[in-house]
Amino acid sequence: MEILVPERRPPDAVLATTELGRQILDGPAPLASATDDALARLAPEHRPFDPEELAQIRAESDEWVRSPDTIRARLGPLTTRTEKVMLRYATATRFAAVELGDLDLIAAGTTFQRSIRLPDAAGEVVASLSDLWAAGPEDRPRLQSQVAAGVARFTTLSELFADSVTDPDGPVAAYWSSTVQVPPTIRSVLDEVESASLSSPDRRPGEPAAVGAALLEAIDWTIEADALPLIAAEVMIGVADDVADEARANERLTGGLVLLAIALSVTAAVLFGRSIVTPVRRLTDHAERIGRGELTLDPLPLGGPPEVATASVAFNDVVGTLRLLEQKGRALADVDLDHPSLHQALPGELGAALQRSTEVLSTSIVEREHLRSQLSHDATHDSLTGLANRAALMDALAQQCAGQSPRAAAIFIDLDDFKRINDRLGHAGGDLVLQVVADRIAALAPTGSTVARLGGDEFVVVLSGATIDDAAERARAMVAAVAQPIRAGGQANRIKACAGVAAEDEASSPLAGPTDLLHRADLAVYDAKRVGPGTVVCFDAGFGDRVAHQNDVEEALAAALRPGADELRLVFQPIVATSTGALVGVETLIRWRRDGAWVMPDDFIPIAERSGLVVRLDLWVLQAATAQMAAWADVPELADMTVSVNLSGRTLMRPTLPAEVEAALRAYDLAPNRLIVEVTETALITDLDLAAAQIDRVRASGVRVAIDDFGTGYTSIAQLRALPVDELKIDGSFIRGLPETTDRVLLQIVEDLADHLELFTVAEGVETAGQVEELAAIGCGALQGYFFSRPLDPDALARWAAGRMASSPR
Ligand code: C2E
Ligand code: CA
Ligand code: CA
């Protein structure tokens, strides 16, 4: 905005540190063409003003210089407009950044948005200082506290701002720490006030001389603060450019980001206009106020650019009156009652006193109201995310459960391992992540619901008129949204969450009180966390019994896994070659003798998987199975037998698993290719890339990997191709209907696909001769099922194998 005369502007040294600032130093013409360029690159609907409008304003700017009367009339609306444009872009950037999940961009946006508030806060201090300076002794205490409140507000905003500056070596931090601090003169005015009221009643608080000096310094201070958004905008443009560069491969993103960067450069140009407009307007406002107080001693002729001339009038007034006041003050302090200054009247002060008091009173009432609403907002909101806080949540729950309103439901969301995020990104980064998560959750909450943060990494959503199924669906959507990557420090961070859901409905017992709903959702999320990241658990009718049963099984199984417990056994089910009927391998299956009765895996493996106990169980099986393989060295039919073990998804993902498998094999000197690891299809496709990488590591030693229960998990052909496995175990549910059903066609497709990918196939749950025939026709590699044998203990297996050898065609 070269239309403005940059008489009062940030120091050249500061401007020289930014690209935009250098353009400003180069003079109006290059800046004008830079603004034109940026505007031209924006689609018309994105332009803060169209080029003709800008041209007209530029043409008029000469007029302005000639007619000072219109200055304020023109500056006012322009400032309002630029502020609006700026805030719109700041908000748009923040949305874009949140959508992209790019923490650096979000951080830069937050810094920028917060930087905008600082010059205004400083301006308010200037205004109240001028009130204080001009006030009579009786008004001073009230006005002093107004200044103190203004300084406190600035300090709070600065702290917020400083928090948002994530790069301690960047230009924002440098400018901030070296320049934009509350001037010491203001501090000493406040200190003086405090010490005067506390300790020495003879001292006059808020001496006009000191206040006047503080006022002059404060005006410079607001001008310095005005450069801050400029620098922050510059940083944001840089980050947006980087992100656009990085995302170049993704064309959709790139388009949006390039637009964003251009929009930002226009904003920054507008901003610069504001950085000049604001202090000048403030000065002219100020001049007017002082003028109304008729404090002018020697009216000075106008000279130079009109806005500066207006300002200098005000300054001369301030300085002149100040000098007089200083003399009076000194005379009084020296008890020199004959000093001529004491007989010199303060111009117009008495006359204006009444009006001024009313004005001051009304502004202070407005400010108090503002403060009160700010306080009540703070009392009910979480300062980090702007969501409701615990107190407000309890309120909402109490209202929901008061009877009248429709049935309430609550979703309790807990982030997984948030400490790790904090450790990795630091506290500021962690805070930003929480804000992104809060935004994502809030975006999915229906209108009328309450979204709260309970502190830390816990969020609660209270829904009105939702059934438990509705709420569960919402909860799943929220958990999925939270899991979208958040980019920070050049990498995509994944935050997973769990949710617990509870609702007032007929199926569950009546609520004991408003907090009962929250308590139930809390219990449900606790259960979800045991299952693992991404889980949603509902507190439904059977929840209590189920959890009790699970706890019981977990405890007993943990005891069974302790050394010397002797409750777990392995059985082995033969796998035979389809073409020859020869024994080609055995699958290891676990059995648990609990309190004298055999418990089948389906009754405890799912529970063990929920709690993570399954990892210990799988490692136990790995040990026991390899020990058994070694023991079979004396049984000729089994000495070289391939043995499959089942591993849960959790066990597979263990970073140490490859080493553990190798160690188990090495302990008994077993060839790695004798071991096959079976992992269910569903466990593999939840995180395909990770699973593929881990399978590679396991296979590196020569161990083979099979996809278990194939056909139950909807693996696509592309996914299957991505998994580096050796074998498919086709789920028994597809075999059961043979030979009659259409499953035959499906099985043929699977077999063809497996052949194409060079995967060996094993059909599970084979129970009839007819099925064997069909599977042979389809071309399935090997068969397993009751038709051949049930799972057998080691001795029984040895006998079975010997018998098989005797009768086998080979
Ligand atoms: P799975 O891995 O699919 O094991 C095959 C299951 O089918 C076994 O049940 C087996 O006894 C049964 N089965 C075999 N042939 C037939 C047949 O012809 N008809 C029918 N209807 N069923 C047949 P089991 O032993 O009850 O194991 C159930 C599941 O528990 C296993 O399914 C596996 O997922 C899991 N499991 C068993 N042992 C372990 C283990 O040591 N670790 C882990 N993580 N999971 C295990
Ligand atoms: Ca299996
Ligand atoms: Ca299976």
Side-chain angles (χ1 to χ4, degrees), residues 18 20 23 84 120 210 223 254 271 303 444-445 468 476 482 489 537 563 575 584 688 721 730 767:
T18 69
L20 214 88
Q23 290 176 6
K84 271 196 192 139
D120 292 339
I223 291 167
T254 316
L271 246 180
L444 289 169
I468 191 135
R476 274 187 281 275
V482 170
V537 168
I575 300 170
V584 292
L688 199 70
R721 197 194 292 266
I730 301 162
E767 294 181 349

Side-chain angles (χ1 to χ4, degrees), residues 573 587 589-591 601-602 618 621 646 708-709 765 767 785-786:
Q573 186 175 32
E587 175 176 0
L589 296 159
I590 195 160
R591 298 292 180 262
D602 285 341
D618 284 347
V621 170
N646 294 286
D708 204 353
D709 301 348
E767 294 181 349
Y786 296 165

